Amino acid sequence: MSKIKKSLDKIFQLYRQVGIDNTLDVINDVTSLLYLKSLEDFEVVTNSGFLLEGTVFEGREKYRWSYLLTLDYNELFDIYQKEIVPFIEVLPNLNVNRNFFNIEKTKLKPEAFFLVFSEINKIFLLDLDGEKVNKSNIIIYDDIYETLLSYLRESIGSIELATPKHIRRLMCALLQLKHWDKVYDTSMGVGSLLIAAYHTMVVANVPAYRIVKDADGFDCCPPYNDTLTTSIFRRNLILEGSNDNELFTWLCFMNFYFHRINLNQSQFQVFPTSNDYKINKYDRVLSVFPTKNSVSKLFDETDKLEPEGVCAMIVPISLLYKGGKMLIQRKRLVVDYCIKAVIALPKQVFAPIAKVNTAILLFENKPSSNSDSIWFCDLYNDGYSNDKRRVKTQDMPLPTLVDAYLSHSEMRNDCFCSKNIPLIDVLNNECSLLVAEYVDSVDDKEMDLDPKKIIKELVVLQDKLGKGIGDLTKFLEL
C-alpha cells in the first residue's frame, strides 16, 4: 500500500470516528483543502495558466497554507470557516460555472479538522521525504487526487466510476492516442477516462529513453517528473465529455486542475449550451455503458466521431449476440461502421460494483467493406484475479494484447486468445459479435493436456475406484 493511500485511509477513519460516513463529504473536504494548498504550491509552476498574474494572496498572506500550519486548532478552524471558504468561492482565476463550484464549510469540529489538515500536510512530507513542492515533484498532486477519487469506486455503484485503471489505460492504448487528437468521453463521471487519455498522450510525446513501465506493463513517465511536458502541451489538449451530475463535474474539474490540464473545456464553461456537444466532432471517443437499458445510446456516441475517427466502447455482452432491438442496432453498426476489434473482458472486471459481462468494442467511422476482417479476442486473464477481490498477479498481458491488435496477430497464450474473422462470416452469422462464437474458449484451452498425463491420472483414478469397490464389497459381506 502506498504512503498516499495509508494517509488517506487515516483521514477517512477520522471522519468515521466523528460519525461522517458519506464518502462524497470526505472527498469534498479533502478536495477543498488540497486546492487551498495548491494555491501556494502552484505559484512555483510558471505559466501554468491556472492563476492570475502575481499571487492570489496579495494582502491575504494569512490564507497561505504555510501560515495556517503555525496556528492552533481553534484559530485554524475559525479562519478557514469564516474567511478562507468565502475567499476561495470568489477567486476569479477559475473560469467555471459557479453553480457547481462546490467549496463548502466543513462539517468537522475544530479538533478533528485540525487532525485532517495535519494529515494532508503529512502526505506531502512523507511522500516527498521532507522536500518542498517544486516544479519537478508537483506531480504529487496527480497521484494524491487520483487515489482520493478511487474511494468513490468502493462506495458508489456507478459503472463509469468502477472502470479499473488498467482497463481505462487499455482502451486508450488501443486508440493509439496522440496529443493532437480531440477526445470525447460520453459518460465522463469524474474524468478518470480523460485523465487516462492524458497519460497516454504524455507517453506518446516524450523520448523513449524517459519511459518506464507501470504495474500493468504499460509505458509511463517516471514518478515525480513533470518536466517531460510543457504548459503549452497541457493547455492545448482537447479532452471533453458530458455529465448529468454537477458534483461529478466539479470533481472532474478539480481532477483536470490538479493534473494542470487545459481547463477551458466545454464541460466546464460558465454558460454551456445544449448544442455544445452536437456541433463538435472528435477524433477519438471513449464510452462506458454496460447496461441493457443504455443500448439506445450507441449511435449517439458514433455521431460525435469525425470521419475515420475511432471509438473504444465498453458494452454489455448482450449487445453482441441478442436479437430484437439489439440485432437491429448491431446490423447497422456492422454495415455502417468498420468494426476493428471485439475484446471480451474477464467476468469480474467490474466486481464488486456489477456482475454484467462486458467487452470492448472498437470501430471506425467509415462504412465496412466485404474485404474487412474483425479481430476477436478473449481476454480471460487481465493481470488480476478473476474474483471479487481482483488481486494483482504477476501477469502483464495487456501491452502484448495491444501489440497483437495493432498487427492483427492471431495468438494463444495463458492470458488471451485472438483470431481474425472475415466480415462476411460475421454477416452470415446474423452479425453476431460474440467472441465465444469465433474464438476457442478458455475451457477448451485448459483441456489441451498431454495424453500420457491424462492416461496416468485415469489409471490412478481407476485404482482408487477399484479399492473403493473392494472395501464396499467386504463391508456388505460382514
Side-chain angles (χ1 to χ4, degrees), residues 150-219:
S150 70
Y151 288 81
L152 282 173
R153 184 175 187 263
E154 303 169 6
S155 61
I156 298 177
S158 168
I159 291 297
E160 292 84 4
L161 300 178
T163 308
K165 184 177 182 179
H166 67 289
I167 297 298
R168 298 195 300 265
R169 186 64 196 275
L170 172 61
M171 295 173 70
C172 294
L174 291 168
L175 288 176
Q176 291 292 284
L177 295 175
K178 301 295 186 292
H179 70 271
W180 56 78
D181 287 328
K182 295 180 292 183
V183 181
Y184 188 84
D185 181 1
T186 63
S187 46
M188 188 174 62
V190 296
S192 298
L193 258 177
L194 294 175
I195 296 301
Y198 158 69
H199 286 307
T200 305
M201 291 172 169
V202 170
V203 168
N205 197 58
V206 302
Y209 71 89
R210 305 298 296 272
I211 299 301
V212 297
K213 300 292 183 181
D214 67 13
D216 299 300
F218 285 115
D219 289 344

Side-chain angles (χ1 to χ4, degrees), residues 413-440:
N413 54 40
D414 291 336
C415 298
F416 67 86
C417 182
S418 62
K419 195 170 184 180
N420 293 306
I421 302 297
L423 177 62
I424 193 68
D425 290 353
V426 175
L427 292 170
N428 291 334
N429 189 28
E430 293 191 329
C431 295
S432 174
L433 297 173
L434 186 64
V435 173
E437 293 187 14
Y438 305 102
V439 178
D440 291 339

Side-chain angles (χ1 to χ4, degrees), residues 204-307:
N205 197 58
V206 302
Y209 71 89
R210 305 298 296 272
I211 299 301
V212 297
K213 300 292 183 181
D214 67 13
D216 299 300
F218 285 115
D219 289 344
C220 67
C221 294
Y224 304 139
N225 197 331
D226 208 35
T227 60
L228 298 182
T229 59
T230 64
S231 58
I232 295 175
F233 170 88
R234 292 191 195 86
R235 284 203 301 267
N236 290 327
L237 295 179
I238 298 177
L239 301 168
E240 299 183 352
S242 59
N243 227 345
D244 296 329
N245 189 309
E246 288 189 349
L247 178 55
F248 284 176
T249 304
W250 146 248
L251 295 175
C252 180
F253 172 81
M254 296 310 298
N255 209 1
F256 273 54
Y257 171 82
F258 288 124
H259 283 82
R260 299 160 307 286
I261 303 173
N262 178 15
L263 301 179
N264 191 30
Q265 313 277 353
S266 61
Q267 66 265 30
F268 305 137
Q269 294 310 294
V270 178
F271 299 110
T273 67
S274 59
N275 292 323
D276 277 350
Y277 307 113
K278 296 179 181 178
I279 295 172
N280 294 323
K281 296 286 185 178
Y282 299 87
D283 305 301
R284 301 289 184 265
V285 169
L286 294 158
S287 184
V288 178
F289 62 98
T291 60
K292 295 180 181 179
N293 295 330
S294 56
V295 175
S296 59
K297 292 175 57 178
L298 179 61
F299 292 101
D300 291 337
E301 329 305 2
T302 60
D303 287 343
K304 297 180 177 66
L305 279 173
E306 291 272 14

